[in-house]
Amino acid sequence: MRKLVKGERGRVYALFAIVMLASAFGNLSQTAVNAMMPEIMGEFALDVSLGQWLTTSYMLVLGIAVPAATFLGKRFTTRQHVFIALAFFLVGALADCLASNFAVLLAGRICQAVSTGLLLPLMQTIAMTRFPEGRRATAMGIAGIAMGFAPNIGPTVGGAFSFSFGWRSFFVLLLAGVVVLGVATALLVRGGEGNRSERFDTLSFMLSALGFGGLLLGFSEASSFALTSPFVWGPLVAGAVFLVLFVQRQKRVDDPLINMDIFKSGQYTVGFAVLCLLHASFMGVTLVIPLYVEGPCGGTALDAGIVLLPGTLAALFLNPLAGVLTDRFGIRPVTLASGALLAVGSVLMVFLDEETPLAVTTFCQAVRAFGVSGLMGPLISWSLAGLPGRIVTDGSSFSIAGRQACASLGTSVMVLLIALAGTSAAAASNPALPYQLAFAFSAVFAVATFVGIVAKVR
């Protein structure tokens, strides 16, 4: 295998492929459990409120772990960084394969989330610092397969394995995959040098964990409790306070966990804001569409999967293509065209009702998904390109954590709108109204994303 990788370029490609595939496994695992939940709940006699922590905890821990990736990137070599992340994933997948109770299964999920949180910033940093300037958007577009395609196809893969071989078989697949990647890392990735003097600021990490964790938990609970519930506003207020304290501390200490100089770059700041709007718009729709298809439309789970499938499969090709086009023609034409698709597709979905043919719903969702696929990689690479190389990892980590929080916000608000409108008198005469309101929320943020691109992305 070592002979296949010749020269510095080959080693960079091998490293990037390993980290991208490992990140894809992590994002695949994040959503695949959704489809396996009924079988898992049945085996361990769980109710829905307890079972949903298998997905909620993953999102929370991933967001908390991401900032720690900056420290690993400075303190350890890239090879060591990859091995640490793969070790977490290996332990997690093994625990889930052998889990005899819910606690072990949950612990395995947490280990996998830590691994994913450590890998995603590294993947983006490699794309932005190890590839030549004219290839960075292409690299980030390929990385979009891990960030966009893998989580979208996760429920399909998880459902297929759960139905055919039992839910544990999915974690056997992950276990085999991470072993192969570990061997590839040992053979193909060089050691390099880390900065042994780098200090881990424990207080900064605790403030970050409480800040991002509080926001993610509060947004998640908003779909289950009233906004006036302390289970919602308590974590949100605490998270906001701790996040402010975290940012203030990063400006004072000599070894910040995340260097806040990232926001001295106007390009990064604009990219960060637009990406947060994008994630608030699109993440929740993948949850709302199955509810809409199987609810007022009277469809099946298979129908819902078919509606989502074209956009999901297109992401496999459109993410890399958008990167190639960005490197060739620049960021503006690609993001303008993709942003327009996102806005148009999202607005069209507001007018869907129970009489709308599924083919029309599939078309609207596909247009929206095409726009998302064309925006993700180019916007991430453009925003990080505005940073000096030494703080690219900092920018990547903070951006991922922020996007996670906004995705959680968007999803929770859409679910909350469905719950509130579903009990109204208007919903009795218009069963699709709750879903139209959720789609309208998504459309507002989609249009805001497009406006931000028109005004600021050049």
Side-chain angles (χ1 to χ4, degrees):
M1 185 182 291
R2 195 188 299 268
K3 293 180 180 180
L4 297 176
V5 180
K6 299 178 180 179
E8 181 61 25
R9 178 181 296 182
R11 285 189 287 272
V12 169
Y13 289 170
L15 170 62
F16 183 66
I18 290 168
V19 176
M20 190 271 288
L21 288 172
S23 300
F25 283 155
N27 281 330
L28 188 73
S29 177
Q30 181 176 7
T31 58
V33 168
N34 294 338
M36 299 186 286
M37 193 70 72
E39 188 177 356
I40 293 174
M41 290 170 58
E43 179 168 336
F44 294 117
L46 307 174
D47 58 24
V48 175
S49 61
L50 187 59
Q52 61 91 22
W53 275 99
L54 292 175
T55 55
T56 302
S57 64
Y58 200 106
M59 179 179 63
L60 289 171
V61 174
L62 192 157
I64 290 169
V66 160
T70 59
F71 169 75
L72 260 67
K74 297 171 185 175
R75 177 67 172 78
F76 299 102
T77 67
T78 302
R79 178 186 171 96
Q80 291 169 331
H81 188 153
V82 174
F83 272 130
I84 291 170
L86 290 179
F88 272 104
F89 204 94
L90 180 68
V91 171
L94 184 61
D96 287 343
C97 284
L98 305 176
S100 58
N101 55 58
F102 176 72
V104 175
L105 183 65
L106 182 62
R109 295 285 292 163
I110 289 172
C111 286
Q112 292 169 53
V114 170
S115 173
T116 307
L118 298 179
L119 286 168
L120 287 174
L122 176 62
M123 177 179 66
Q124 296 185 7
T125 301
I126 293 170
M128 296 305 299
T129 61
R130 302 288 187 94
F131 282 77
E133 189 170 347
R135 298 286 182 86
R136 291 173 183 171
T138 300
M140 197 65 73
I142 296 172
I145 296 173
M147 295 184 290
F149 174 75
N152 281 331
I153 202 70
T156 302
V157 175
F161 271 82
S162 179
F163 176 79
S164 302
F165 310 108
W167 64 268
R168 294 178 192 269
S169 64
F170 174 76
F171 295 105
V172 173
L173 171 69
L174 295 182
L175 187 63
V178 77
V179 168
V180 171
L181 292 179
V183 172
T185 301
L187 293 175
L188 302 178
V189 179
R190 285 187 169 183
E193 295 182 2
N195 183 2
R196 296 291 181 180
S197 64
E198 189 69 28
R199 186 176 66 89
F200 183 72
D201 188 357
T202 304
L203 180 56
S204 288
F205 180 73
M206 292 176 62
L207 291 173
S208 170
L210 292 170
F212 285 114
L215 293 179
L216 288 165
L217 180 61
F219 290 145
S220 297
E221 294 298 280
S223 60
S224 303
F225 297 95
L227 294 178
T228 55
S229 169
F231 291 106
V232 176
W233 62 259
L236 289 177
V237 171
V241 170
F242 283 118
L243 196 57
V244 170
L245 293 175
F246 168 75
V247 172
Q248 290 178 341
R249 180 169 176 79
Q250 303 317 289
K251 296 177 180 179
R252 295 196 309 267
V253 297
D254 295 330
D255 296 304
L257 188 64
I258 293 181
N259 192 328
M260 287 297 132
D261 285 350
I262 54 179
F263 287 106
K264 290 182 179 179
S265 166
Q267 184 168 318
Y268 174 81
T269 304
V270 169
F272 175 79
V274 173
L275 282 164
C276 285
L277 290 171
L278 174 63
H279 278 70
S281 168
F282 87 89
M283 286 297 286
V285 173
T286 56
L287 173 63
V288 174
I289 285 178
L291 297 176
Y292 160 74
V293 171
E294 296 176 48
C297 293
T300 65
L302 178 60
D303 292 327
I306 291 173
V307 170
L308 292 169
L309 189 60
T312 299
L313 293 178
L316 184 61
F317 305 101
L318 289 179
N319 276 298
L321 177 61
V324 171
L325 294 175
T326 300
D327 279 331
R328 178 167 295 186
F329 301 109
I331 181 73
R332 189 163 175 80
V334 175
T335 53
L336 280 177
S338 300
L341 288 174
L342 171 68
V344 170
S346 299
V347 170
L348 288 175
M349 293 183 75
V350 177
F351 300 97
L352 301 177
D353 59 29
E354 67 275 14
E355 301 297 331
T356 303
L358 286 182
V360 175
T361 303
T362 303
F363 172 78
C364 295
Q365 158 60 13
V367 171
R368 191 195 64 84
F370 294 168
V372 172
S373 298
L375 288 174
M376 189 77 69
L379 282 175
I380 293 173
S381 62
W382 180 78
S383 65
L384 295 179
L387 300 176
R390 61 184 176 82
I391 59 172
V392 165
T393 302
D394 301 74
S396 175
S397 297
F398 197 84
S399 180
I400 291 171
R403 286 166 3 221
Q404 281 284 113
C406 289
S408 178
L409 166 65
T411 302
S412 298
V413 171
M414 290 182 208
V415 173
L416 181 63
L417 286 171
I418 292 172
L420 293 177
T423 59
S424 68
S429 58
N430 180 13
L433 177 63
Y435 307 94
Q436 290 171 340
L437 291 176
F439 290 141
F441 175 86
S442 171
V444 168
F445 279 87
V447 172
T449 301
F450 180 60
V451 171
I453 291 168
V454 172
K456 296 294 185 179
V457 177
R458 302 183 185 281

